[in-house]
Amino acid sequence: MAEKPVWKASLRPNSLTPDNPNDCIAVVKSDTKTNDDLAGRIVSERSEFRKETILSILTIRDKLVKNYIEEGASFRDGLVQISPRISGVWESAMAQFDPAIHRRTVDVTLTQDMRNALDAIAVSVIDRNATATTNAITLVTNSLSGEADGTIPIGEDIIIDGDKIKIQDEKDEEQGVFIIDAEGKEHKVTRKLIDNKAKRLIARIPSDFPEGEAKIVIKTKYAGSGTALKTVRSIPYNMILKAVK
């Protein structure tokens, strides 16, 4: 019998319920796989195709799926269905599309096979010391959609929840919220933070940030209770995000 899959998770204080100091949220310990990893895994399954050939096919597949969505079609594979959606309120039947109000997005719905797979996964909590001193980003929310779906809106705000993530001194060039693009270039958030607290930051993504893969790192000397560290501490978010317009 195949070994049951397990998600390893750490418990962190729930920053959304400040009135309850005891409740927690689980953060799954994970890394991000790419088409390159997938091609390598297929080769390891004794495929007769070379890894480069498989990677090329996967890249073409991504392009064609994106084309379907651009054409307004939904796409379904064995794991998910991706459906186009326009969010936002239209004032009347005569109103026009307004990018300041409306947003082009997609809904991702799990197939029955994927739901069955999730039901079969065990969860192992590897860190239960949720009251210990931690510095972590636990959630990043798209302020336009109100969803923590892995997208961040270029030129708009994101809500960053975590623990001890406050920027001790926004005027310090070394400290702040940094967005890293697919090329590894850091883009510091230069606009004054709308919210700058130990458990929540609200930061605006630079308008010139390129579309595509993005990572978030907070750099701060904040140590809690009004104290400051001598050196900057980097707090990365453990998920790869997607910057969208």
Side-chain angles (χ1 to χ4, degrees), residues 3-9 28-30 117-118 120-126:
E3 186 176 346
K4 190 173 185 178
V6 178
W7 282 357
K8 296 180 179 179
V28 178
K29 182 181 180 181
S30 65
L118 293 177
I121 295 172
V123 174
S124 173
V125 177
I126 59 175

Side-chain angles (χ1 to χ4, degrees), residues 168-238:
Q168 181 73 20
D169 182 2
E170 289 191 56
K171 296 180 180 179
D172 183 354
E173 288 298 318
E174 291 186 318
Q175 299 185 62
V177 178
F178 294 81
I179 319 297
I180 305 172
D181 63 29
E183 302 298 323
K185 180 181 178 181
E186 288 188 346
H187 302 252
K188 182 180 180 180
V189 172
T190 56
R191 182 186 176 96
K192 182 176 175 59
L193 299 175
I194 297 175
D195 210 348
N196 183 19
K197 298 177 181 176
K199 292 184 177 295
R200 171 166 288 189
L201 302 178
I202 299 180
R204 180 154 297 181
I205 304 299
S207 58
D208 60 349
F209 191 88
E211 290 187 273
E213 181 180 300
K215 299 178 183 179
I216 293 179
V217 175
I218 291 173
K219 298 181 181 182
T220 181
K221 293 182 179 179
Y222 180 74
S225 302
T227 59
L229 301 171
K230 292 183 179 179
T231 58
V232 172
R233 172 186 284 138
S234 292
I235 309 170
Y237 189 41
N238 65 353

Side-chain angles (χ1 to χ4, degrees), residues 1-242:
M1 181 181 293
E3 186 176 346
K4 190 173 185 178
V6 178
W7 282 357
K8 296 180 179 179
S10 299
L11 298 184
R12 294 289 181 264
N14 184 2
S15 60
L16 300 180
T17 56
D19 293 336
N20 186 347
N22 298 316
D23 66 343
C24 304
I25 60 173
V27 179
V28 178
K29 182 181 180 181
S30 65
D31 57 359
T32 300
K33 302 300 184 182
T34 66
N35 277 348
D36 187 73
D37 298 301
L38 184 56
R41 182 68 67 88
I42 293 173
V43 169
S44 70
E45 296 292 332
R46 299 183 179 180
S47 168
E48 66 274 20
F49 297 107
R50 296 170 62 244
K51 179 180 178 181
E52 293 76 10
T53 302
I54 297 170
L55 185 57
S56 176
I57 293 172
L58 293 174
T59 301
I60 294 172
R61 187 259 192 195
D62 289 347
K63 177 178 180 294
L64 294 177
V65 171
K66 184 182 70 172
N67 288 347
Y68 283 141
I69 301 303
E70 289 173 337
E71 294 164 3
S74 295
F75 176 81
R76 179 187 176 97
D77 59 18
L79 302 178
V80 298
Q81 175 167 320
I82 306 173
S83 305
R85 178 169 64 87
I86 301 173
S87 64
V89 177
W90 301 65
E91 293 185 354
S92 71
M94 301 301 294
Q96 300 297 315
F97 176 83
D98 184 348
I101 300 174
H102 309 118
R103 179 168 174 261
R104 291 148 292 198
T105 186
V106 296
D107 291 323
V108 178
T109 306
L110 303 182
T111 64
Q112 187 61 53
D113 185 46
M114 189 72 248
R115 290 197 295 270
N116 292 341
L118 293 177
D119 289 340
I121 295 172
V123 174
S124 173
V125 177
I126 59 175
D127 177 10
R128 294 181 179 275
N129 193 7
T131 59
T133 299
T134 57
N135 298 84
I137 301 172
T138 56
L139 192 68
V140 174
T141 303
N142 183 323
S143 67
L144 289 183
S145 65
E147 299 174 355
D149 58 1
T151 64
I152 55 175
I154 297 172
E156 300 293 343
D157 296 330
I158 56 172
I159 302 169
I160 305 174
D161 290 305
D163 189 38
K164 293 182 174 63
I165 58 174
K166 179 179 179 179
I167 307 303
Q168 181 73 20
D169 182 2
E170 289 191 56
K171 296 180 180 179
D172 183 354
E173 288 298 318
E174 291 186 318
Q175 299 185 62
V177 178
F178 294 81
I179 319 297
I180 305 172
D181 63 29
E183 302 298 323
K185 180 181 178 181
E186 288 188 346
H187 302 252
K188 182 180 180 180
V189 172
T190 56
R191 182 186 176 96
K192 182 176 175 59
L193 299 175
I194 297 175
D195 210 348
N196 183 19
K197 298 177 181 176
K199 292 184 177 295
R200 171 166 288 189
L201 302 178
I202 299 180
R204 180 154 297 181
I205 304 299
S207 58
D208 60 349
F209 191 88
E211 290 187 273
E213 181 180 300
K215 299 178 183 179
I216 293 179
V217 175
I218 291 173
K219 298 181 181 182
T220 181
K221 293 182 179 179
Y222 180 74
S225 302
T227 59
L229 301 171
K230 292 183 179 179
T231 58
V232 172
R233 172 186 284 138
S234 292
I235 309 170
Y237 189 41
N238 65 353
M239 289 184 62
I240 295 179
L241 305 170
K242 183 177 182 181

